[in-house]
């Protein structure tokens, strides 16, 4: 069994660890570091629940090895809200539009949308954001609340309640 030393920054904090070569990033974040907001569902890249942001890009942490993240900056859902507790606009929109029920799928959806909308020049359309949702499975909501939240985030129906 091969072991590797890695150093990553997670939610602004530096972490050093020794991990097995086969350890997924998702397991590393949950088991080694304790970020249990990283939800593991299918564990083969289908459901999207495990999505985190690695160097600004949304990735499925069940499909990436921890050793591949060496040197990277990682954000999990725990690191998205402001230090004073103010929710990220994507989180706020999902809350306002009842875009979640059990919440299992929610961290992954939040991270995908945050990766697409963060940054001064990032102004994706609602259509683009909805297309990104094709990589996420939600067993509870019927997607309508999520779609309303997406439109709110995209600024297409700000404040409108369907
Ligand atoms: S747990 Fe990673 S995509 Fe489902
Ligand atoms: S809110 Fe339950 S799976 Fe989406």
């Amino acid at each position: 069994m091969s072991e590797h030393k890695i150093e990553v920054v997670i939610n602004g904090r530096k972490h050093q660890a020794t991990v097995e070569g086969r350890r997924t990033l998702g397991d590393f974040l949950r088991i080694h570091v304790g970020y249990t907001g990283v939800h593991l569902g299918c564990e083969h890249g289908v459901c999207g629940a495990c999505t985190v942001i690695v160097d600004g890009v949304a990735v499925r942490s069940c499909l990436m090895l921890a050793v591949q993240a060496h040197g990277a900056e990682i954000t999990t859902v725990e690191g998205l809200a402001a230090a004073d507790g103010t929710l990220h606009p994507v989180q706020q929109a999902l809350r306002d539009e009842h875009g979640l029920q059990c919440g299992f799928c929610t961290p992954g959806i939040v991270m995908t949308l945050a990766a697409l909308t963060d940054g001064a020049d990032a102004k994706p359309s609602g259509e683009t954001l909805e297309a990104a949702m094709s990589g996420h499975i939600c067993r509870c909501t019927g997607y309508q609340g999520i779609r309303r939240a997406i439109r709110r985030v995209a600024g297409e129906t700000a404040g409108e309640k369907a």
Side-chain angles (χ1 to χ4, degrees), residues 46-87:
V46 174
C47 73
C50 66
T51 302
V52 299
I53 298 175
V54 178
D55 289 338
V57 178
V59 303
R60 284 155 200 259
S61 64
C62 69
L63 294 184
M64 184 171 182
L65 296 172
V67 291
Q68 293 176 294
H70 175 60
E73 279 198 39
I74 300 166
T75 306
T76 72
V77 73
E78 290 93 340
L80 213 53
D84 67 358
T86 302
L87 294 178

Side-chain angles (χ1 to χ4, degrees), residues 99-106 109 137-141 143 146:
L100 66 148
Q101 289 184 30
C102 80
F104 189 83
C105 68
T106 311
I109 290 173
I137 293 172
C138 175
R139 300 294 295 270
C140 304
T141 64
Y143 298 98
I146 296 171

Side-chain angles (χ1 to χ4, degrees), residues 67-137:
V67 291
Q68 293 176 294
H70 175 60
E73 279 198 39
I74 300 166
T75 306
T76 72
V77 73
E78 290 93 340
L80 213 53
D84 67 358
T86 302
L87 294 178
H88 185 281
V90 169
Q91 293 173 306
Q92 189 63 53
L94 284 164
R95 179 177 177 173
D96 291 345
E97 298 292 354
H98 307 290
L100 66 148
Q101 289 184 30
C102 80
F104 189 83
C105 68
T106 311
I109 290 173
V110 165
M111 301 315 284
T112 289
L113 294 176
L116 290 170
T117 55
D118 280 350
D121 298 329
K123 300 198 187 314
S125 66
E127 195 176 339
T128 298
L129 296 176
E130 281 203 16
M133 283 305 94
S134 66
H136 291 270
I137 293 172

